[in-house]
Amino acid sequence: MNIQIFGSSKSFDSKKAERWFKERRIKYQYIDLPTKGLSPREYQSVKQKVGFSLLVNTKCRAYEELFMAYITPAAQEETLLEHPELFQAPIVRNGKEATVGYCPEIWSQWT
């Protein structure tokens, strides 16, 4: 099992996800989403599993400032990769499997 948590220090769900894996003594790799973001290949892998709409945080300030609701889908994807603060956190990956948000019922199936 190769767990990666792409999270934000401001996200309570990211902290809950870290706590969930720590309590079960499952090793994971934590990646700070706002500073590091996702690589294009990681992004494609996660998008294929969960879909684009779940990856975008529509409630963040950057969503409105970058006019994400008004640009084309191709431009939305490009903007999302350029501005990682737009990602919904946490994104938890286990190989090719992925979840967005706090999903302990799915994570327990992985173990």
Side-chain angles (χ1 to χ4, degrees), residues 20-38:
W20 192 90
F21 286 103
K22 277 183 186 175
E23 287 172 353
R24 284 149 187 83
R25 293 187 175 96
I26 299 171
K27 291 183 180 181
Y28 64 88
Q29 177 186 12
Y30 182 82
I31 296 107
D32 189 40
L33 196 52
T35 57
K36 301 285 184 186
L38 289 171

Side-chain angles (χ1 to χ4, degrees), residues 54-92:
L54 285 178
L55 286 173
V56 182
N57 184 359
T58 58
K59 295 179 178 124
C60 72
R61 186 177 301 147
Y63 184 83
E64 293 177 14
E65 290 174 354
L66 296 168
F67 304 104
M68 287 288 286
Y70 308 106
I71 58 178
T72 65
Q76 284 181 342
E77 287 194 37
E78 188 176 314
T79 305
L80 185 63
L81 287 172
E82 290 172 4
H83 300 276
E85 65 271 13
L86 288 168
F87 280 106
Q88 187 76 3
I91 298 171
V92 181

Side-chain angles (χ1 to χ4, degrees), residues 5-22:
I5 301 175
F6 294 88
S8 170
S9 60
K10 295 180 181 179
S11 166
F12 289 112
D13 283 345
S14 294
K15 292 175 185 176
K16 284 172 35 178
E18 277 191 272
R19 189 177 326 117
W20 192 90
F21 286 103
K22 277 183 186 175

